[in-house]
PDB file of all heavy atoms in Angstrom:
ATOM      1  N   TYR A  18      15.505   5.041  -8.141  1.00 95.00           N
ATOM      2  CA  TYR A  18      14.965   4.579  -6.856  1.00 95.00           C
ATOM      3  C   TYR A  18      14.747   3.074  -6.908  1.00 95.00           C
ATOM      4  O   TYR A  18      15.126   2.329  -6.008  1.00 95.00           O
ATOM      5  CB  TYR A  18      13.639   5.291  -6.579  1.00 95.00           C
ATOM      6  CG  TYR A  18      12.871   4.713  -5.429  1.00 95.00           C
ATOM      7  CD1 TYR A  18      13.215   5.029  -4.117  1.00 95.00           C
ATOM      8  CD2 TYR A  18      11.829   3.815  -5.635  1.00 95.00           C
ATOM      9  CE1 TYR A  18      12.526   4.489  -3.039  1.00 95.00           C
ATOM     10  CE2 TYR A  18      11.139   3.262  -4.567  1.00 95.00           C
ATOM     11  CZ  TYR A  18      11.491   3.595  -3.294  1.00 95.00           C
ATOM     12  OH  TYR A  18      10.813   3.051  -2.236  1.00 95.00           O
ATOM     13  N   VAL A  22      16.101  -0.059  -4.518  1.00 97.00           N
ATOM     14  CA  VAL A  22      15.269  -0.973  -3.735  1.00 97.00           C
ATOM     15  C   VAL A  22      15.828  -2.395  -3.812  1.00 97.00           C
ATOM     16  O   VAL A  22      15.978  -3.083  -2.813  1.00 97.00           O
ATOM     17  CB  VAL A  22      13.811  -0.934  -4.247  1.00 97.00           C
ATOM     18  CG1 VAL A  22      12.989  -2.088  -3.676  1.00 97.00           C
ATOM     19  CG2 VAL A  22      13.158   0.399  -3.867  1.00 97.00           C
ATOM     20  N   ARG A  26      17.691  -2.038  -0.423  1.00 96.00           N
ATOM     21  CA  ARG A  26      16.618  -2.316   0.548  1.00 96.00           C
ATOM     22  C   ARG A  26      16.397  -3.814   0.763  1.00 96.00           C
ATOM     23  O   ARG A  26      16.307  -4.279   1.897  1.00 96.00           O
ATOM     24  CB  ARG A  26      15.314  -1.664   0.076  1.00 96.00           C
ATOM     25  CG  ARG A  26      14.188  -1.805   1.072  1.00 96.00           C
ATOM     26  CD  ARG A  26      12.969  -1.054   0.656  1.00 96.00           C
ATOM     27  NE  ARG A  26      13.238   0.374   0.537  1.00 96.00           N
ATOM     28  CZ  ARG A  26      12.272   1.292   0.698  1.00 96.00           C
ATOM     29  NH1 ARG A  26      11.072   0.922   0.992  1.00 96.00           N
ATOM     30  NH2 ARG A  26      12.536   2.572   0.550  1.00 96.00           N
ATOM     31  N   HIS A  27      16.341  -4.591  -0.300  1.00 97.00           N
ATOM     32  CA  HIS A  27      16.014  -6.003  -0.134  1.00 97.00           C
ATOM     33  C   HIS A  27      17.054  -6.774   0.673  1.00 97.00           C
ATOM     34  O   HIS A  27      16.675  -7.542   1.577  1.00 97.00           O
ATOM     35  CB  HIS A  27      15.756  -6.643  -1.503  1.00 97.00           C
ATOM     36  CG  HIS A  27      14.460  -6.183  -2.118  1.00 97.00           C
ATOM     37  ND1 HIS A  27      14.078  -6.510  -3.391  1.00 97.00           N
ATOM     38  CD2 HIS A  27      13.451  -5.391  -1.628  1.00 97.00           C
ATOM     39  CE1 HIS A  27      12.902  -5.959  -3.649  1.00 97.00           C
ATOM     40  NE2 HIS A  27      12.502  -5.269  -2.602  1.00 97.00           N
ATOM     41  N   PHE A  90       9.497  -2.954 -12.542  1.00 98.00           N
ATOM     42  CA  PHE A  90       9.786  -2.791 -11.113  1.00 98.00           C
ATOM     43  C   PHE A  90       8.695  -3.426 -10.263  1.00 98.00           C
ATOM     44  O   PHE A  90       8.968  -4.176  -9.323  1.00 98.00           O
ATOM     45  CB  PHE A  90       9.911  -1.286 -10.833  1.00 98.00           C
ATOM     46  CG  PHE A  90      10.148  -0.899  -9.412  1.00 98.00           C
ATOM     47  CD1 PHE A  90      10.869  -1.711  -8.541  1.00 98.00           C
ATOM     48  CD2 PHE A  90       9.664   0.313  -8.924  1.00 98.00           C
ATOM     49  CE1 PHE A  90      11.098  -1.331  -7.219  1.00 98.00           C
ATOM     50  CE2 PHE A  90       9.886   0.701  -7.612  1.00 98.00           C
ATOM     51  CZ  PHE A  90      10.592  -0.119  -6.761  1.00 98.00           C
ATOM     52  N   GLU A  94       9.392  -6.554  -7.712  1.00 98.00           N
ATOM     53  CA  GLU A  94       9.259  -6.301  -6.279  1.00 98.00           C
ATOM     54  C   GLU A  94       8.229  -7.231  -5.639  1.00 98.00           C
ATOM     55  O   GLU A  94       8.446  -7.807  -4.581  1.00 98.00           O
ATOM     56  CB  GLU A  94       8.852  -4.848  -6.073  1.00 98.00           C
ATOM     57  CG  GLU A  94       9.284  -4.329  -4.742  1.00 98.00           C
ATOM     58  CD  GLU A  94       9.007  -2.863  -4.584  1.00 98.00           C
ATOM     59  OE1 GLU A  94       8.331  -2.261  -5.431  1.00 98.00           O
ATOM     60  OE2 GLU A  94       9.486  -2.326  -3.582  1.00 98.00           O
ATOM     61  N   TYR A  98       8.731 -10.350  -2.623  1.00 98.00           N
ATOM     62  CA  TYR A  98       7.991 -10.594  -1.378  1.00 98.00           C
ATOM     63  C   TYR A  98       7.312 -11.960  -1.383  1.00 98.00           C
ATOM     64  O   TYR A  98       7.184 -12.612  -0.349  1.00 98.00           O
ATOM     65  CB  TYR A  98       6.980  -9.464  -1.123  1.00 98.00           C
ATOM     66  CG  TYR A  98       7.651  -8.216  -0.615  1.00 98.00           C
ATOM     67  CD1 TYR A  98       7.946  -7.154  -1.467  1.00 98.00           C
ATOM     68  CD2 TYR A  98       8.052  -8.118   0.720  1.00 98.00           C
ATOM     69  CE1 TYR A  98       8.601  -6.022  -1.000  1.00 98.00           C
ATOM     70  CE2 TYR A  98       8.710  -6.992   1.194  1.00 98.00           C
ATOM     71  CZ  TYR A  98       8.982  -5.946   0.330  1.00 98.00           C
ATOM     72  OH  TYR A  98       9.646  -4.840   0.796  1.00 98.00           O
ATOM     73  N   ASN A 162       0.209   7.255   5.786  1.00 80.00           N
ATOM     74  CA  ASN A 162       0.944   6.447   4.800  1.00 80.00           C
ATOM     75  C   ASN A 162       2.448   6.587   4.941  1.00 80.00           C
ATOM     76  O   ASN A 162       3.201   5.745   4.447  1.00 80.00           O
ATOM     77  CB  ASN A 162       0.493   6.834   3.390  1.00 80.00           C
ATOM     78  CG  ASN A 162       1.237   6.034   2.333  1.00 80.00           C
ATOM     79  OD1 ASN A 162       1.839   6.601   1.414  1.00 80.00           O
ATOM     80  ND2 ASN A 162       1.229   4.724   2.452  1.00 80.00           N
ATOM     81  N   ASP A 165       5.447   3.647   7.221  1.00 65.00           N
ATOM     82  CA  ASP A 165       5.521   2.456   6.359  1.00 65.00           C
ATOM     83  C   ASP A 165       6.849   1.785   6.660  1.00 65.00           C
ATOM     84  O   ASP A 165       7.912   2.311   6.348  1.00 65.00           O
ATOM     85  CB  ASP A 165       5.405   2.932   4.910  1.00 65.00           C
ATOM     86  CG  ASP A 165       6.085   1.999   3.926  1.00 65.00           C
ATOM     87  OD1 ASP A 165       6.330   0.834   4.297  1.00 65.00           O
ATOM     88  OD2 ASP A 165       6.376   2.435   2.821  1.00 65.00           O
ATOM     89  N   SER A 167       8.482  -0.718   5.518  1.00 61.00           N
ATOM     90  CA  SER A 167       9.432  -1.092   4.449  1.00 61.00           C
ATOM     91  C   SER A 167      10.183   0.166   4.018  1.00 61.00           C
ATOM     92  O   SER A 167      11.342   0.139   3.674  1.00 61.00           O
ATOM     93  CB  SER A 167       8.684  -1.683   3.255  1.00 61.00           C
ATOM     94  OG  SER A 167       8.155  -0.649   2.433  1.00 61.00           O
ATOM     95  N   PHE A 168       9.497   1.270   4.099  1.00 56.00           N
ATOM     96  CA  PHE A 168      10.070   2.542   3.655  1.00 56.00           C
ATOM     97  C   PHE A 168      11.175   2.985   4.600  1.00 56.00           C
ATOM     98  O   PHE A 168      12.185   3.542   4.217  1.00 56.00           O
ATOM     99  CB  PHE A 168       8.933   3.557   3.632  1.00 56.00           C
ATOM    100  CG  PHE A 168       9.315   4.933   3.229  1.00 56.00           C
ATOM    101  CD1 PHE A 168       9.757   5.192   1.939  1.00 56.00           C
ATOM    102  CD2 PHE A 168       9.238   5.978   4.132  1.00 56.00           C
ATOM    103  CE1 PHE A 168      10.101   6.466   1.559  1.00 56.00           C
ATOM    104  CE2 PHE A 168       9.581   7.251   3.753  1.00 56.00           C
ATOM    105  CZ  PHE A 168      10.010   7.501   2.469  1.00 56.00           C
ATOM    106  N   ASP A 207      -3.596   0.007   2.783  1.00 97.00           N
ATOM    107  CA  ASP A 207      -2.165  -0.173   2.530  1.00 97.00           C
ATOM    108  C   ASP A 207      -1.547  -0.803   3.773  1.00 97.00           C
ATOM    109  O   ASP A 207      -1.727  -1.978   4.034  1.00 97.00           O
ATOM    110  CB  ASP A 207      -1.542   1.187   2.172  1.00 97.00           C
ATOM    111  CG  ASP A 207      -0.089   1.047   1.772  1.00 97.00           C
ATOM    112  OD1 ASP A 207       0.304  -0.039   1.334  1.00 97.00           O
ATOM    113  OD2 ASP A 207       0.664   2.001   1.949  1.00 97.00           O
ATOM    114  N   ASN A 208      -0.878  -0.006   4.582  1.00 97.00           N
ATOM    115  CA  ASN A 208      -0.107  -0.566   5.692  1.00 97.00           C
ATOM    116  C   ASN A 208      -0.911  -0.717   6.980  1.00 97.00           C
ATOM    117  O   ASN A 208      -1.894   0.001   7.188  1.00 97.00           O
ATOM    118  CB  ASN A 208       1.121   0.327   5.967  1.00 97.00           C
ATOM    119  CG  ASN A 208       2.050   0.328   4.768  1.00 97.00           C
ATOM    120  OD1 ASN A 208       2.391  -0.724   4.234  1.00 97.00           O
ATOM    121  ND2 ASN A 208       2.401   1.516   4.300  1.00 97.00           N
ATOM    122  N   GLU A 212      -0.757   3.337   9.922  1.00 95.00           N
ATOM    123  CA  GLU A 212      -1.515   3.811   8.756  1.00 95.00           C
ATOM    124  C   GLU A 212      -2.951   3.299   8.841  1.00 95.00           C
ATOM    125  O   GLU A 212      -3.908   4.044   8.616  1.00 95.00           O
ATOM    126  CB  GLU A 212      -0.879   3.359   7.441  1.00 95.00           C
ATOM    127  CG  GLU A 212      -1.708   3.802   6.238  1.00 95.00           C
ATOM    128  CD  GLU A 212      -1.025   3.642   4.893  1.00 95.00           C
ATOM    129  OE1 GLU A 212       0.110   3.113   4.832  1.00 95.00           O
ATOM    130  OE2 GLU A 212      -1.613   4.082   3.890  1.00 95.00           O
ATOM    131  N   PHE A 242       4.971  -6.647   1.257  1.00 96.00           N
ATOM    132  CA  PHE A 242       5.654  -5.345   1.338  1.00 96.00           C
ATOM    133  C   PHE A 242       5.825  -4.891   2.793  1.00 96.00           C
ATOM    134  O   PHE A 242       5.552  -3.743   3.125  1.00 96.00           O
ATOM    135  CB  PHE A 242       4.892  -4.298   0.524  1.00 96.00           C
ATOM    136  CG  PHE A 242       5.200  -4.371  -0.951  1.00 96.00           C
ATOM    137  CD1 PHE A 242       4.770  -5.446  -1.699  1.00 96.00           C
ATOM    138  CD2 PHE A 242       5.964  -3.397  -1.572  1.00 96.00           C
ATOM    139  CE1 PHE A 242       5.065  -5.547  -3.053  1.00 96.00           C
ATOM    140  CE2 PHE A 242       6.262  -3.478  -2.936  1.00 96.00           C
ATOM    141  CZ  PHE A 242       5.812  -4.555  -3.681  1.00 96.00           C
ATOM    142  N   SER A 244       4.759  -4.048   5.652  1.00 94.00           N
ATOM    143  CA  SER A 244       3.725  -3.669   6.645  1.00 94.00           C
ATOM    144  C   SER A 244       2.319  -3.638   6.069  1.00 94.00           C
ATOM    145  O   SER A 244       1.409  -3.134   6.717  1.00 94.00           O
ATOM    146  CB  SER A 244       4.063  -2.305   7.258  1.00 94.00           C
ATOM    147  OG  SER A 244       4.567  -1.420   6.307  1.00 94.00           O
ATOM    148  N   ASP A 245       2.128  -4.186   4.864  1.00 97.00           N
ATOM    149  CA  ASP A 245       0.762  -4.170   4.331  1.00 97.00           C
ATOM    150  C   ASP A 245      -0.182  -4.941   5.240  1.00 97.00           C
ATOM    151  O   ASP A 245       0.195  -5.975   5.814  1.00 97.00           O
ATOM    152  CB  ASP A 245       0.743  -4.749   2.916  1.00 97.00           C
ATOM    153  CG  ASP A 245       1.123  -3.674   1.899  1.00 97.00           C
ATOM    154  OD1 ASP A 245       2.124  -2.985   2.132  1.00 97.00           O
ATOM    155  OD2 ASP A 245       0.390  -3.500   0.897  1.00 97.00           O
ATOM    156  N   LYS A 315      -5.265   3.639  -0.810  1.00 98.00           N
ATOM    157  CA  LYS A 315      -4.291   4.174   0.125  1.00 98.00           C
ATOM    158  C   LYS A 315      -2.884   3.775  -0.279  1.00 98.00           C
ATOM    159  O   LYS A 315      -2.629   2.608  -0.622  1.00 98.00           O
ATOM    160  CB  LYS A 315      -4.574   3.626   1.542  1.00 98.00           C
ATOM    161  CG  LYS A 315      -5.709   4.222   2.309  1.00 98.00           C
ATOM    162  CD  LYS A 315      -5.610   5.712   2.606  1.00 98.00           C
ATOM    163  CE  LYS A 315      -4.279   6.209   3.162  1.00 98.00           C
ATOM    164  NZ  LYS A 315      -3.852   5.661   4.429  1.00 98.00           N
ATOM    165  N   GLY A 316      -1.964   4.706  -0.187  1.00 97.00           N
ATOM    166  CA  GLY A 316      -0.548   4.388  -0.245  1.00 97.00           C
ATOM    167  C   GLY A 316       0.092   4.418  -1.611  1.00 97.00           C
ATOM    168  O   GLY A 316      -0.553   4.531  -2.649  1.00 97.00           O
ATOM    169  N   ASP A 317       1.401   4.265  -1.545  1.00 97.00           N
ATOM    170  CA  ASP A 317       2.237   4.408  -2.742  1.00 97.00           C
ATOM    171  C   ASP A 317       2.091   3.222  -3.674  1.00 97.00           C
ATOM    172  O   ASP A 317       1.978   3.362  -4.893  1.00 97.00           O
ATOM    173  CB  ASP A 317       3.699   4.544  -2.284  1.00 97.00           C
ATOM    174  CG  ASP A 317       4.631   4.898  -3.420  1.00 97.00           C
ATOM    175  OD1 ASP A 317       4.576   6.046  -3.898  1.00 97.00           O
ATOM    176  OD2 ASP A 317       5.390   4.013  -3.865  1.00 97.00           O
ATOM    177  N   LEU A 318       2.109   2.017  -3.127  1.00 98.00           N
ATOM    178  CA  LEU A 318       2.041   0.833  -3.988  1.00 98.00           C
ATOM    179  C   LEU A 318       0.683   0.745  -4.700  1.00 98.00           C
ATOM    180  O   LEU A 318       0.610   0.472  -5.901  1.00 98.00           O
ATOM    181  CB  LEU A 318       2.281  -0.439  -3.163  1.00 98.00           C
ATOM    182  CG  LEU A 318       2.301  -1.744  -3.957  1.00 98.00           C
ATOM    183  CD1 LEU A 318       3.364  -1.725  -5.045  1.00 98.00           C
ATOM    184  CD2 LEU A 318       2.518  -2.912  -3.018  1.00 98.00           C
ATOM    185  N   ASN A 319      -0.395   1.024  -3.961  1.00 98.00           N
ATOM    186  CA  ASN A 319      -1.704   1.035  -4.626  1.00 98.00           C
ATOM    187  C   ASN A 319      -1.743   2.105  -5.710  1.00 98.00           C
ATOM    188  O   ASN A 319      -2.330   1.910  -6.783  1.00 98.00           O
ATOM    189  CB  ASN A 319      -2.823   1.296  -3.599  1.00 98.00           C
ATOM    190  CG  ASN A 319      -3.314   0.024  -2.959  1.00 98.00           C
ATOM    191  OD1 ASN A 319      -3.376  -1.028  -3.587  1.00 98.00           O
ATOM    192  ND2 ASN A 319      -3.676   0.118  -1.678  1.00 98.00           N
ATOM    193  N   ARG A 321       0.819   3.158  -7.451  1.00 98.00           N
ATOM    194  CA  ARG A 321       1.599   2.636  -8.582  1.00 98.00           C
ATOM    195  C   ARG A 321       0.760   1.674  -9.424  1.00 98.00           C
ATOM    196  O   ARG A 321       0.740   1.730 -10.654  1.00 98.00           O
ATOM    197  CB  ARG A 321       2.850   1.910  -8.056  1.00 98.00           C
ATOM    198  CG  ARG A 321       3.886   2.837  -7.447  1.00 98.00           C
ATOM    199  CD  ARG A 321       4.982   2.043  -6.750  1.00 98.00           C
ATOM    200  NE  ARG A 321       5.595   1.072  -7.634  1.00 98.00           N
ATOM    201  CZ  ARG A 321       6.351   0.064  -7.201  1.00 98.00           C
ATOM    202  NH1 ARG A 321       6.561  -0.100  -5.902  1.00 98.00           N
ATOM    203  NH2 ARG A 321       6.892  -0.774  -8.038  1.00 98.00           N
ATOM    204  N   THR A 351       1.392   9.154  -0.067  1.00 95.00           N
ATOM    205  CA  THR A 351       2.614   9.943   0.079  1.00 95.00           C
ATOM    206  C   THR A 351       3.573   9.410  -0.984  1.00 95.00           C
ATOM    207  O   THR A 351       3.623   8.208  -1.261  1.00 95.00           O
ATOM    208  CB  THR A 351       3.235   9.807   1.483  1.00 95.00           C
ATOM    209  OG1 THR A 351       3.543   8.442   1.735  1.00 95.00           O
ATOM    210  CG2 THR A 351       2.296  10.344   2.549  1.00 95.00           C
ATOM    211  N   LYS A 353       6.553   7.938  -2.583  1.00 95.00           N
ATOM    212  CA  LYS A 353       7.712   7.149  -2.166  1.00 95.00           C
ATOM    213  C   LYS A 353       8.344   6.424  -3.346  1.00 95.00           C
ATOM    214  O   LYS A 353       9.226   5.591  -3.168  1.00 95.00           O
ATOM    215  CB  LYS A 353       7.297   6.104  -1.130  1.00 95.00           C
ATOM    216  CG  LYS A 353       6.654   6.664   0.108  1.00 95.00           C
ATOM    217  CD  LYS A 353       6.295   5.497   1.017  1.00 95.00           C
ATOM    218  CE  LYS A 353       5.125   5.807   1.897  1.00 95.00           C
ATOM    219  NZ  LYS A 353       4.521   4.594   2.442  1.00 95.00           N
ATOM    220  N   SER A 354       7.833   6.661  -4.551  1.00 95.00           N
ATOM    221  CA  SER A 354       8.435   6.055  -5.741  1.00 95.00           C
ATOM    222  C   SER A 354       8.100   6.939  -6.931  1.00 95.00           C
ATOM    223  O   SER A 354       7.371   7.922  -6.791  1.00 95.00           O
ATOM    224  CB  SER A 354       7.875   4.632  -5.947  1.00 95.00           C
ATOM    225  OG  SER A 354       6.503   4.698  -6.246  1.00 95.00           O
TER     226      SER A 354
HETATM  227  O1  F1X B   1       2.455   1.282  -0.460  1.00 71.36           O
HETATM  228  P1  F1X B   1       3.341   1.970   0.510  1.00 71.36           P
HETATM  229  O2  F1X B   1       3.509   1.167   1.756  1.00 71.36           O
HETATM  230  O3  F1X B   1       2.931   3.390   0.765  1.00 71.36           O
HETATM  231  O4  F1X B   1       4.774   2.071  -0.162  1.00 71.36           O
HETATM  232  C1  F1X B   1       5.407   0.911  -0.519  1.00 71.36           C
HETATM  233  C2  F1X B   1       6.659   1.248  -1.260  1.00 71.36           C
HETATM  234  O5  F1X B   1       6.931   2.623  -1.245  1.00 71.36           O
HETATM  235  O6  F1X B   1       7.752   0.576  -0.705  1.00 71.36           O
HETATM  236  C3  F1X B   1       8.445   0.014  -1.801  1.00 71.36           C
HETATM  237  C4  F1X B   1       9.911  -0.074  -1.610  1.00 71.36           C
HETATM  238  O7  F1X B   1      10.102  -1.244  -0.829  1.00 71.36           O
HETATM  239  C5  F1X B   1       8.058   0.881  -2.931  1.00 71.36           C
HETATM  240  O8  F1X B   1       8.500   0.422  -4.103  1.00 71.36           O
HETATM  241  C6  F1X B   1       6.628   0.824  -2.679  1.00 71.36           C
HETATM  242  O9  F1X B   1       5.874   1.615  -3.502  1.00 71.36           O
END
Side-chain angles (χ1 to χ4, degrees):
Y18 169 80
V22 167
R26 185 175 299 207
H27 289 173
F90 177 32
E94 206 174 9
Y98 284 99
N162 179 234
D165 153 19
S167 82
F168 179 66
D207 185 24
N208 296 311
E212 177 168 4
F242 279 69
S244 39
D245 277 48
K315 283 299 312 299
D317 188 71
L318 183 58
N319 273 325
R321 290 171 55 196
T351 59
K353 302 179 208 162
S354 66

